[in-house]
mmCIF file of all heavy atoms in Angstrom:
data_model
loop_
_atom_site.group_PDB
_atom_site.id
_atom_site.type_symbol
_atom_site.label_atom_id
_atom_site.label_comp_id
_atom_site.label_asym_id
_atom_site.label_seq_id
_atom_site.Cartn_x
_atom_site.Cartn_y
_atom_site.Cartn_z
ATOM 1 N N ALA A 144 -12.556 2.419 -19.454
ATOM 2 C CA ALA A 144 -13.785 2.628 -18.687
ATOM 3 C C ALA A 144 -13.463 2.754 -17.199
ATOM 4 O O ALA A 144 -14.018 3.613 -16.510
ATOM 5 C CB ALA A 144 -14.750 1.473 -18.928
ATOM 6 N N VAL A 145 -12.555 1.911 -16.718
ATOM 7 C CA VAL A 145 -12.200 1.991 -15.300
ATOM 8 C C VAL A 145 -11.524 3.324 -14.996
ATOM 9 O O VAL A 145 -11.838 3.988 -14.013
ATOM 10 C CB VAL A 145 -11.274 0.819 -14.908
ATOM 11 C CG1 VAL A 145 -10.796 0.981 -13.480
ATOM 12 C CG2 VAL A 145 -12.016 -0.488 -15.061
ATOM 13 N N ASP A 146 -10.593 3.719 -15.872
ATOM 14 C CA ASP A 146 -9.920 5.008 -15.675
ATOM 15 C C ASP A 146 -10.920 6.147 -15.646
ATOM 16 O O ASP A 146 -10.858 7.035 -14.791
ATOM 17 C CB ASP A 146 -8.896 5.255 -16.794
ATOM 18 C CG ASP A 146 -7.653 4.403 -16.603
ATOM 19 O OD1 ASP A 146 -7.503 3.848 -15.508
ATOM 20 O OD2 ASP A 146 -6.858 4.301 -17.551
ATOM 21 N N ALA A 147 -11.859 6.107 -16.608
ATOM 22 C CA ALA A 147 -12.848 7.185 -16.693
ATOM 23 C C ALA A 147 -13.708 7.204 -15.437
ATOM 24 O O ALA A 147 -13.948 8.274 -14.849
ATOM 25 C CB ALA A 147 -13.716 7.005 -17.940
ATOM 26 N N ALA A 148 -14.162 6.023 -15.017
ATOM 27 C CA ALA A 148 -14.999 5.961 -13.817
ATOM 28 C C ALA A 148 -14.233 6.507 -12.616
ATOM 29 O O ALA A 148 -14.768 7.281 -11.822
ATOM 30 C CB ALA A 148 -15.428 4.521 -13.546
ATOM 31 N N ALA A 149 -12.954 6.125 -12.506
ATOM 32 C CA ALA A 149 -12.156 6.586 -11.373
ATOM 33 C C ALA A 149 -12.015 8.104 -11.407
ATOM 34 O O ALA A 149 -12.131 8.783 -10.389
ATOM 35 C CB ALA A 149 -10.786 5.926 -11.393
ATOM 36 N N LEU A 150 -11.797 8.644 -12.598
ATOM 37 C CA LEU A 150 -11.618 10.086 -12.723
ATOM 38 C C LEU A 150 -12.903 10.821 -12.335
ATOM 39 O O LEU A 150 -12.888 11.783 -11.566
ATOM 40 C CB LEU A 150 -11.206 10.432 -14.158
ATOM 41 C CG LEU A 150 -10.716 11.858 -14.333
ATOM 42 C CD1 LEU A 150 -9.430 12.059 -13.556
ATOM 43 C CD2 LEU A 150 -10.514 12.199 -15.788
ATOM 44 N N ILE A 151 -14.027 10.325 -12.877
ATOM 45 C CA ILE A 151 -15.305 10.962 -12.549
ATOM 46 C C ILE A 151 -15.552 10.890 -11.058
ATOM 47 O O ILE A 151 -15.977 11.855 -10.421
ATOM 48 C CB ILE A 151 -16.442 10.273 -13.334
ATOM 49 C CG1 ILE A 151 -16.312 10.620 -14.813
ATOM 50 C CG2 ILE A 151 -17.801 10.709 -12.799
ATOM 51 C CD1 ILE A 151 -17.279 9.876 -15.689
ATOM 52 N N GLY A 152 -15.259 9.722 -10.476
ATOM 53 C CA GLY A 152 -15.472 9.564 -9.042
ATOM 54 C C GLY A 152 -14.677 10.574 -8.232
ATOM 55 O O GLY A 152 -15.119 11.024 -7.193
ATOM 56 N N VAL A 153 -13.490 10.955 -8.745
ATOM 57 C CA VAL A 153 -12.657 11.897 -7.997
ATOM 58 C C VAL A 153 -13.080 13.343 -8.252
ATOM 59 O O VAL A 153 -13.234 14.124 -7.321
ATOM 60 C CB VAL A 153 -11.169 11.713 -8.375
ATOM 61 C CG1 VAL A 153 -10.342 12.838 -7.789
ATOM 62 C CG2 VAL A 153 -10.675 10.393 -7.870
ATOM 63 N N ILE A 154 -13.279 13.681 -9.523
ATOM 64 C CA ILE A 154 -13.440 15.115 -9.797
ATOM 65 C C ILE A 154 -14.885 15.581 -9.703
ATOM 66 O O ILE A 154 -15.136 16.772 -9.677
ATOM 67 C CB ILE A 154 -12.852 15.512 -11.176
ATOM 68 C CG1 ILE A 154 -13.646 14.899 -12.300
ATOM 69 C CG2 ILE A 154 -11.394 15.149 -11.276
ATOM 70 C CD1 ILE A 154 -13.193 15.379 -13.648
ATOM 71 N N LEU A 155 -15.839 14.678 -9.671
ATOM 72 C CA LEU A 155 -17.228 15.107 -9.543
ATOM 73 C C LEU A 155 -17.804 14.591 -8.232
ATOM 74 O O LEU A 155 -18.369 13.511 -8.171
ATOM 75 C CB LEU A 155 -18.065 14.588 -10.715
ATOM 76 C CG LEU A 155 -17.912 15.320 -12.040
ATOM 77 C CD1 LEU A 155 -18.860 14.737 -13.061
ATOM 78 C CD2 LEU A 155 -18.147 16.810 -11.900
ATOM 79 N N PRO A 156 -17.642 15.365 -7.146
ATOM 80 C CA PRO A 156 -18.190 14.912 -5.876
ATOM 81 C C PRO A 156 -19.723 14.883 -5.928
ATOM 82 O O PRO A 156 -20.339 15.503 -6.793
ATOM 83 C CB PRO A 156 -17.687 15.942 -4.871
ATOM 84 C CG PRO A 156 -17.001 16.993 -5.631
ATOM 85 C CD PRO A 156 -16.941 16.624 -7.062
ATOM 86 N N ALA A 157 -20.301 14.163 -4.967
ATOM 87 C CA ALA A 157 -21.760 13.975 -4.951
ATOM 88 C C ALA A 157 -22.498 15.304 -5.004
ATOM 89 O O ALA A 157 -23.512 15.431 -5.687
ATOM 90 C CB ALA A 157 -22.151 13.200 -3.702
ATOM 91 N N PHE A 158 -21.976 16.320 -4.312
ATOM 92 C CA PHE A 158 -22.739 17.566 -4.251
ATOM 93 C C PHE A 158 -22.625 18.380 -5.533
ATOM 94 O O PHE A 158 -23.243 19.428 -5.661
ATOM 95 C CB PHE A 158 -22.400 18.407 -3.008
ATOM 96 C CG PHE A 158 -20.932 18.675 -2.809
ATOM 97 C CD1 PHE A 158 -20.322 19.732 -3.445
ATOM 98 C CD2 PHE A 158 -20.190 17.875 -1.951
ATOM 99 C CE1 PHE A 158 -18.983 19.988 -3.237
ATOM 100 C CE2 PHE A 158 -18.852 18.126 -1.745
ATOM 101 C CZ PHE A 158 -18.243 19.181 -2.398
ATOM 102 N N VAL A 159 -21.845 17.915 -6.478
ATOM 103 C CA VAL A 159 -21.861 18.528 -7.809
ATOM 104 C C VAL A 159 -22.732 17.693 -8.744
ATOM 105 O O VAL A 159 -23.548 18.217 -9.496
ATOM 106 C CB VAL A 159 -20.428 18.634 -8.380
ATOM 107 C CG1 VAL A 159 -20.473 19.123 -9.817
ATOM 108 C CG2 VAL A 159 -19.602 19.573 -7.529
ATOM 109 N N ILE A 160 -22.570 16.385 -8.651
ATOM 110 C CA ILE A 160 -23.324 15.489 -9.529
ATOM 111 C C ILE A 160 -24.816 15.579 -9.268
ATOM 112 O O ILE A 160 -25.622 15.626 -10.192
ATOM 113 C CB ILE A 160 -22.840 14.035 -9.302
ATOM 114 C CG1 ILE A 160 -21.543 13.860 -10.070
ATOM 115 C CG2 ILE A 160 -23.883 13.036 -9.718
ATOM 116 C CD1 ILE A 160 -21.405 12.552 -10.729
#
Side-chain angles (χ1 to χ4, degrees):
Chain A
V145 174
D146 285 347
L150 192 65
I151 290 173
V153 170
I154 67 174
L155 283 183
F158 52 85
V159 174
I160 280 219

